[in-house]
Amino acid sequence: MRTAILIACAAFLLLAVFWEGPEPRSAPGVLVPYEPDQDAIETRHQWRFKDSQVTALANFRVRARVLLTEHYWWGREAGVSPVDLTLGWRLMSNQEVLDGLHLYRMRRAYAWAPRNDRLPAAADDINTHAANMHMVPSTEELDGRLRGIKRGDLVDIRGYLIEIKFPDGGTWRSSLTRTDSGNSACELVWVNELNKL
């Protein structure tokens, strides 16, 4: 009996931590009409963060609808980037398009599949208007605010696309384009500002 109670308690705890509730819905139409803004940095500056070296690769701003969130607590990457946000803009902020897709998380990535075996838009358009982004909060206050972001929120994030070199010699580098997919296609975002739209 005690084993059954412990299993039920563990299941409840996991549900409370990882389940975000029902999928949020909005009225049809594009909620975020902007493409992400990215500007090259002529002289890349570097700084130290949690024993790692950070290099700014580009200025970056993204205004988007939050499609999925994921929190991380363990591992080297979680020490600098505790939250992933899968973000959608333009057509991927439109409820009519999202209704035609099943979005799901993978470790440090996301994927999609059509609902009812029919795509609501061209695959290339879906891929170029959404991305999984690893968030690196520049302050403890931003860390807490990022952890509070939920699916369906509309956010405005400003900072840099970055590269991180870890003390053990490993390197984590941001994608610099929204047109790639697969390994290394995610953006690694140093967050200086976070606002809800």
Side-chain angles (χ1 to χ4, degrees):
M1 180 64 152
R2 186 161 56 168
T3 302
I5 292 172
L6 288 174
I7 291 171
C9 289
F12 179 78
L13 179 61
L14 287 171
L15 188 63
V17 170
F18 293 104
W19 189 59
E20 295 183 88
E23 184 176 341
R25 301 193 52 75
S26 66
V30 171
L31 298 182
V32 182
Y34 315 104
E35 293 283 344
D37 297 323
Q38 180 176 319
D39 298 311
I41 297 175
E42 289 186 18
T43 304
R44 294 178 173 176
H45 57 285
Q46 299 179 336
W47 62 95
R48 301 294 297 177
F49 179 69
K50 297 187 178 181
D51 298 323
S52 298
Q53 178 181 288
V54 179
T55 302
L57 305 176
N59 295 304
F60 189 66
R61 179 185 186 187
V62 59
R63 289 162 284 185
R65 177 177 178 168
V66 178
L67 305 179
L68 299 169
T69 67
E70 188 75 24
H71 296 190
Y72 298 93
W73 290 273
W74 301 283
R76 180 181 66 180
E77 288 82 7
V80 293
S81 176
V83 176
D84 275 11
L85 300 178
T86 301
L87 301 175
W89 53 91
R90 299 195 53 186
L91 70 87
M92 285 297 284
S93 70
N94 185 341
Q95 189 67 52
E96 291 175 302
V97 173
L98 297 176
D99 283 345
L101 295 170
H102 173 63
L103 305 176
Y104 54 96
R105 296 249 13 120
M106 301 166 63
R107 176 157 171 76
R108 290 288 187 183
Y110 94 106
W112 56 264
R115 292 185 196 261
N116 305 320
D117 299 320
R118 190 164 152 265
L119 283 177
D124 286 348
D125 288 337
I126 293 169
N127 286 332
T128 58
H129 290 94
N132 188 67
M133 300 193 184
H134 313 307
M135 298 292 153
V136 182
S138 59
T139 66
E140 289 296 321
E141 187 255 345
L142 282 168
D143 185 310
R145 289 175 58 205
L146 279 166
R147 291 180 188 274
I149 295 295
K150 302 292 183 198
R151 287 188 305 167
D153 286 348
L154 303 181
V155 295
D156 182 355
I157 297 170
R158 301 179 195 225
Y160 304 110
L161 297 179
I162 61 172
E163 176 185 83
I164 297 177
K165 291 189 176 177
F166 295 101
D168 65 6
T171 299
W172 200 11
R173 185 181 174 89
S174 177
S175 166
L176 296 175
T177 178
R178 311 297 86 75
T179 59
D180 51 1
S181 60
N183 290 339
S184 304
C186 295
E187 284 69 24
L188 183 58
V189 184
W190 177 266
V191 181
N192 280 328
E193 295 181 41
L194 167 64
N195 295 292
K196 290 189 179 180
L197 296 173

